[in-house]
Amino acid sequence: MMSAANANNVVVVGSGLGGYTLARELRKKDPAVSITIVTGDGGESYGKPMLSNALAQGKDVSALVQKSAAQMAADLGATLLTRSFVKEIDRQGKTITVTGPDGQPRPLAYGRLVLAIGADPRPYAVPGSDNVRIHTVNDLDDYAAWRDGLRPGLRVLLVGAGLIGAEFANDLALAGMVPTIVDPAPWPLGRLLPQELGAEVAKALEGAGITLRLGRTIARIEPGLAHLDDGTAIAFDRALSAIGLVPRTGLASAAGLAIDKGIVVDRRLTTSDPSIFAIGDCAQTEAGPLPFVLPLMAQARALASTLAGTPTDLTLPALPVAVKIPALPTVVCPPPPGMAGEWRITGTGPDRKALFVAADGQPVGFALTGNHIGERQAMARDMPAILA
């Protein structure tokens, strides 16, 4: 039976960037605390954002691994349970049920429990998709399956022209493959960019050898052939869906924790149970889910301080995001969802600057392409904080 070393031991579920950053920061602040990390994958440390540009950088799966699970356990002074899944949280008994590689469920006690379990790829289904392998890439295991067999000349169908779809398409094109993106939006990065900048990104992607079928959806699909809603068809050798993520809330919901779009947390990343916390893609802060690296790391650092005995509220300044599309360097600092206002755009051609001004005249977001991306930090200083 697995058991707790003391009443304050910390159990972290998830070994992604959030889970490992939390454990690292906590260990710095409290050399004595017992830390156990439970992860469904192999426990390797790697940079998840690197998955969408690894081909262009000449990195295979092994080269993406920064440290092995054994190295991470040693560095963190933690117990690491790999290929292990949490099936249940017993809040009253302060235990989780963990099923390891042998398939046997065992209880693991916790003093404080941190859910850093991320998000799942948004399901994609059209008529015929049950008979076609449509990959998603959400972790290193997914990437290994996706990467296997990729070679120059392959025709690759990508569903989704958002940030991840655009990044993967550019990476595939640089590696000599022939990508086609299908998306109902009229321009790439449609939720992040105004039309003028989106149109420049589209031109750049097309110039890089990527076919864009925008304003279109897949009506049905069969092995090697996607039929669009306008009656045309796209032949493909591999397919990848990149239509977004859905926070993993099932485990928390089953335990009776408050759930909305994600696992609801307060400014100290505490769930509706004072002994359970959540960070990263699975968590919903006052600002909503924050599916980017910098907010995740800020959450991990704040929570580490709280767990080490210094209660710390999460604060987040404006955090611009660099989109990894070498065809046209792009930076976005999106305005709050649903904010009324207008984009004000300057520049010409691929070198554009867009400022989103709210109805009260205050700038609350921006987007930059080409030569203007060097202005990101200066512009970010003028933006309102995400969480002050």
Side-chain angles (χ1 to χ4, degrees):
M1 175 181 292
M2 298 178 284
S3 61
N6 58 66
N8 291 318
N9 74 311
V10 175
V11 174
V12 181
V13 185
S15 66
L17 183 60
Y20 272 156
T21 301
L22 170 67
R24 187 178 296 110
E25 295 297 320
L26 179 57
R27 179 57 72 217
K28 291 178 186 175
K29 298 175 185 297
D30 188 343
V33 67
S34 171
I35 302 174
T36 300
I37 301 170
V38 183
T39 178
D41 62 21
E44 305 92 347
S45 174
Y46 66 98
K48 185 175 177 181
M50 297 290 291
L51 299 181
S52 61
N53 66 348
L55 286 167
Q57 295 192 0
K59 293 186 176 182
D60 60 14
V61 174
S62 62
L64 289 169
V65 174
Q66 297 161 348
K67 290 187 178 182
S68 68
Q71 289 173 310
M72 290 303 299
D75 287 354
L76 298 171
T79 299
L80 181 56
L81 307 178
T82 62
R83 306 295 176 188
S84 299
F85 299 88
V86 178
K87 300 298 184 182
E88 184 180 29
I89 301 171
D90 177 357
R91 292 168 53 193
Q92 184 174 0
K94 283 197 170 183
T95 61
I96 57 176
T97 301
V98 179
T99 299
D102 63 1
Q104 296 299 311
R106 297 178 176 86
L108 172 62
Y110 65 85
R112 280 85 54 82
L113 176 65
V114 180
L115 302 177
I117 52 181
D120 289 313
R122 187 174 299 279
Y124 178 73
V126 294
S129 58
D130 288 345
N131 299 317
V132 178
R133 183 170 189 184
I134 302 175
H135 289 260
T136 56
V137 175
N138 195 37
D139 56 33
L140 195 63
D141 289 343
D142 290 343
Y143 185 73
W146 166 245
R147 181 71 177 261
D148 184 35
L150 285 181
R151 63 183 186 278
L154 283 184
R155 300 163 300 176
V156 181
L157 171 67
L158 296 106
V159 183
L163 187 148
I164 299 302
E167 290 185 352
F168 267 103
N170 204 164
D171 195 44
L172 289 161
L174 287 170
M177 277 155 271
V178 185
T180 298
I181 303 178
V182 178
D183 195 298
W187 60 84
L189 308 177
R191 295 184 179 182
L192 299 174
L193 298 180
Q195 181 176 358
E196 293 86 347
L197 276 70
E200 293 300 330
V201 171
K203 290 178 187 177
L205 292 175
E206 289 174 333
I210 299 159
T211 298
L212 301 178
R213 300 301 308 274
L214 302 174
R216 301 266 64 91
T217 60
I218 297 175
R220 62 183 177 88
I221 195 168
E222 58 187 275
L225 200 62
H227 300 270
L228 304 189
D229 58 347
D230 63 355
T232 62
I234 299 169
F236 65 91
D237 302 301
R238 301 286 290 273
L240 176 71
S241 173
I243 58 172
L245 298 172
V246 180
R248 290 174 175 149
T249 60
L251 183 66
S253 178
L257 300 176
I259 301 297
D260 188 23
K261 294 179 181 177
I263 303 169
V264 176
V265 295
D266 63 15
R267 290 292 290 270
R268 292 182 181 170
L269 291 310
T270 311
T271 69
S272 52
D273 184 317
S275 297
I276 304 178
F277 306 82
I279 60 172
D281 289 354
C282 69
Q284 180 176 331
T285 68
E286 292 176 19
L290 300 169
F292 298 110
V293 169
L294 292 179
L296 182 153
M297 296 184 71
Q299 290 175 40
R301 288 191 291 267
L303 181 54
S305 294
T306 295
L307 295 176
T310 303
T312 302
D313 286 354
L314 174 67
T315 58
L316 290 171
L319 297 169
V321 176
V323 186
K324 301 188 297 297
I325 42 175
L328 182 58
T330 301
V331 171
V332 295
C333 186
M339 173 74 71
E342 64 175 0
W343 286 102
R344 297 178 182 174
I345 299 165
T346 57
T348 58
D351 303 313
R352 304 275 184 133
K353 176 165 61 175
L355 184 68
F356 190 89
V357 179
D360 63 1
Q362 296 300 308
V364 294
F366 64 86
L368 308 168
T369 58
N371 293 338
H372 285 290
I373 64 169
E375 301 175 42
R376 58 184 291 183
Q377 295 302 334
M379 293 190 68
R381 286 193 289 269
D382 295 331
M383 295 297 112
I386 299 172
L387 287 173

